[in-house]
Amino acid sequence: MQRLGWIGRRKGGKSCIWIHCASVGEVLMVKTLVKSIEKEFNNLDIVLSTNTNTGRSVAKRCFNGKKIFYFPLDLSWVVNKALNAIQPCCVILVELEIWPNFLISTAKMRIPVVLLNARISERSLKWYRVLRKISKEFFAGLTKKENVFCARTEIDASRLMNLGIPESQVGITGNMKYDNVVTDITEDIKKRLLSLFGIGKGEKVIVCGSTHKGEEDVILRIFQHLREKIQNVRLILVPRHIERVNEVVTLIESLRFRCVRKTSLDKGEKISEPKAETVILVDTMGDLQITYSIADCVFVGKSLVPQGGQNMMEPAGLAKPVIVGPHTFNFREEVQLLKEADAIEIVQDESALLNAMMYILECPDVAREMGKRAQLVVINQRGATDRNVEALRKILLKERTVSV
């Protein structure tokens, strides 16, 4: 029903900012932004919308007490119903969320729209150019002078201007993703996790995060080889999808390793000797980051298989040496930044992954320096949230002056 605009009228008389995040990634990205807006503009309500069920669930956890709802279908009467219920003084769309009828309606209601972390691919640019020719009303709504476009990169800014958006409305503020990357985990948390996993001093820990089908069997074969070459090496697997846990357990045991789940360890189970024959399987949500913090070597999955990769900046932020496979097309910008800093190892196949892991484990000083360079990449990319708040400040202060 919320998709049809039945989202319930917003209560209270405060002015309101409506932030739209497509899914989980965007929801997590705006956490620091919301905190900054609340700190500077505590007289404003903030509501959030998402497109997906998981996005909505995460938003409810991250922004407890705020109005969270599904973004309306892009039909004029639905959009108008939603806008009338929320009555925002400003709408923030995160990344590539350009909805024609929504923009037409906000223009008619004189509601400024800000596209934050704006990105636009060459393919999307071609589609929007066609749409611009079909609907002059859409183009007028998109380029309304009150609208602001905060692009991630020079390329994104150039494409937005090629679409016909005036240069005066386009700025380059960077990627807010980096402002949310954790760069430190407390020693107490790490010690508790090491104790839970039965990992002692001198043991070398490989963490393989966000793994997908077709990757765990490769990793387990590599682990067999590593155990023959390196003493006291331990393996922790963190599958991307929890529903695959039973499948991964079966795979681990088929290769004659013992498997212990984190949920079992949380309930008091202990890992029996010899511990090196046991693979720890993290079967809980939200523990990947702290698991990365105890790693000596990190492999980020969804990259040995042609699926586009997963977020390698999480372990990079924690100064860990990161290895990925060849398929990282969903993270081109991140991989390029790490490559330029010599802070990532990209492998093409199983043999290369074995060699890369062995090198990192056998050369801890080299691995440590590689991790420091990765963390520095994250630190140097920070600041987009502050720059975006500055862009918002101009709009919100203007709105406040108008309302007075």
Side-chain angles (χ1 to χ4, degrees):
M1 295 301 291
Q2 290 180 353
R3 294 283 194 198
L4 295 175
W6 295 93
I7 57 180
R9 185 166 293 276
R10 181 175 61 88
K11 297 178 182 179
K14 291 183 178 181
S15 293
C16 170
I17 296 178
W18 176 349
I19 302 176
H20 175 57
C21 307
S23 191
V24 174
E26 292 79 14
V27 170
L28 295 175
M29 189 188 302
V30 301
K31 286 171 68 176
T32 54
L33 177 72
V34 170
K35 286 180 182 177
S36 296
I37 293 173
E38 287 178 327
K39 183 177 180 180
E40 185 161 347
F41 299 97
N42 56 13
N43 61 326
L44 289 172
D45 271 347
I46 298 175
V47 303
L48 293 99
S49 61
T50 70
N51 289 341
T52 66
N53 297 336
T54 51
R56 183 172 178 270
S57 298
V58 171
K60 282 186 171 292
R61 288 202 304 271
C62 292
F63 306 108
N64 185 35
K66 298 194 185 304
K67 187 175 181 66
I68 312 291
F69 53 93
Y70 289 108
F71 193 74
L73 294 174
D74 197 43
L75 302 171
S76 297
W77 66 272
V78 176
V79 167
N80 290 338
K81 189 176 184 64
L83 287 169
N84 286 326
I86 299 299
Q87 295 188 329
C89 69
C90 174
V91 174
I92 296 174
L93 304 176
V94 181
E95 296 209 342
L96 188 63
E97 288 296 305
I98 300 176
W99 297 97
N101 285 312
F102 188 86
L103 288 170
I104 291 169
S105 292
T106 54
K108 287 179 178 177
M109 295 183 184
R110 303 192 63 172
I111 300 169
V113 173
V114 182
L115 194 65
L116 289 190
N117 239 58
R119 63 182 177 90
I120 181 167
S121 66
E122 193 63 41
R123 182 179 179 182
S124 297
L125 176 61
K126 291 176 182 177
W127 159 242
Y128 286 125
R129 277 176 174 164
V130 171
L131 191 57
R132 181 183 66 184
K133 292 179 181 178
I134 295 173
S135 174
K136 292 183 178 179
E137 198 174 17
F138 158 66
F139 184 66
L142 178 69
T143 58
K144 186 167 66 82
K145 66 179 181 179
E146 291 84 2
N147 293 350
V148 175
F149 301 82
C150 298
R152 298 191 313 174
T153 66
E154 289 185 11
I155 293 173
D156 294 309
S158 176
R159 286 172 179 163
L160 287 166
M161 288 184 281
N162 285 340
L163 184 58
I165 297 167
E167 184 177 356
S168 60
Q169 293 174 239
V170 180
I172 303 168
T173 55
N175 194 333
M176 287 193 298
K177 179 188 294 185
Y178 299 104
D179 293 340
N180 290 284
V181 177
V182 174
T183 54
D184 184 48
I185 300 290
T186 66
E187 288 301 316
D188 283 347
I189 290 175
K190 287 190 273 190
K191 284 178 181 177
R192 284 200 297 270
L193 196 61
L194 287 167
S195 175
L196 180 69
F197 290 164
I199 296 170
K201 190 175 182 180
E203 291 188 302
K204 300 178 185 295
V205 180
I206 301 170
V207 175
C208 298
S210 298
T211 57
H212 279 58
K213 186 178 180 65
E215 293 182 320
E216 291 95 358
D217 52 345
V218 171
I219 292 163
L220 289 165
R221 287 195 298 270
I222 287 172
F223 185 50
Q224 286 176 324
H225 288 294
L226 288 173
R227 288 177 63 242
E228 296 171 3
K229 303 285 186 180
I230 302 173
Q231 289 187 337
N232 300 323
V233 62
R234 303 286 299 278
L235 175 63
I236 303 173
L237 286 177
V238 191
R240 178 71 177 88
H241 300 293
I242 292 296
E243 59 268 24
R244 292 188 57 245
V245 163
N246 290 336
E247 171 191 331
V248 178
V249 170
T250 301
L251 179 61
I252 291 169
E253 292 175 345
S254 71
L255 292 172
R256 298 186 179 181
F257 288 110
R258 290 197 303 268
C259 178
V260 62
R261 304 185 186 203
K262 182 177 181 295
T263 49
S264 299
L265 295 172
D266 288 335
K267 293 174 183 176
E269 183 179 334
K270 301 296 181 184
I271 300 175
S272 58
E273 298 288 350
K275 293 180 180 179
E277 292 181 1
T278 299
V279 174
I280 298 169
L281 183 64
V282 177
D283 58 345
T284 51
M285 293 286 288
D287 287 328
L288 179 57
Q289 192 172 75
I290 61 169
T291 306
Y292 280 146
S293 75
I294 64 170
D296 295 291
C297 174
V298 169
F299 168 74
V300 179
K302 202 180 175 181
S303 60
L304 275 181
V305 290
Q307 296 291 323
Q310 287 290 157
N311 187 5
M312 62 287 297
M313 285 302 181
E314 280 192 334
L318 295 171
K320 300 300 177 182
V322 178
I323 307 172
V324 296
H327 307 290
T328 55
F329 50 82
N330 289 332
F331 293 86
R332 287 192 177 96
E333 175 192 330
E334 292 86 343
V335 169
Q336 185 60 36
L337 287 168
L338 291 170
K339 279 176 64 178
E340 289 172 357
D342 191 21
I344 192 170
E345 190 72 32
I346 303 170
V347 299
Q348 298 299 315
D349 52 31
E350 182 174 337
S351 176
L353 179 56
L354 169 61
N355 292 335
M357 285 185 172
M358 189 173 298
Y359 181 68
I360 285 172
L361 293 173
E362 290 184 332
C363 304
D365 291 341
V366 174
R368 195 176 301 111
E369 290 304 312
M370 181 180 170
K372 286 179 181 178
R373 292 193 297 271
Q375 187 179 60
L376 194 59
V377 168
V378 172
I379 292 170
N380 288 341
Q381 291 298 314
R382 286 181 163 177
T385 299
D386 290 340
R387 291 187 286 272
N388 285 332
V389 169
E390 177 60 32
L392 287 171
R393 187 179 292 122
K394 296 174 184 177
I395 294 173
L396 296 176
L397 289 177
K398 183 178 179 181
E399 287 296 312
R400 181 186 290 175
T401 303
V402 170
S403 63
V404 170

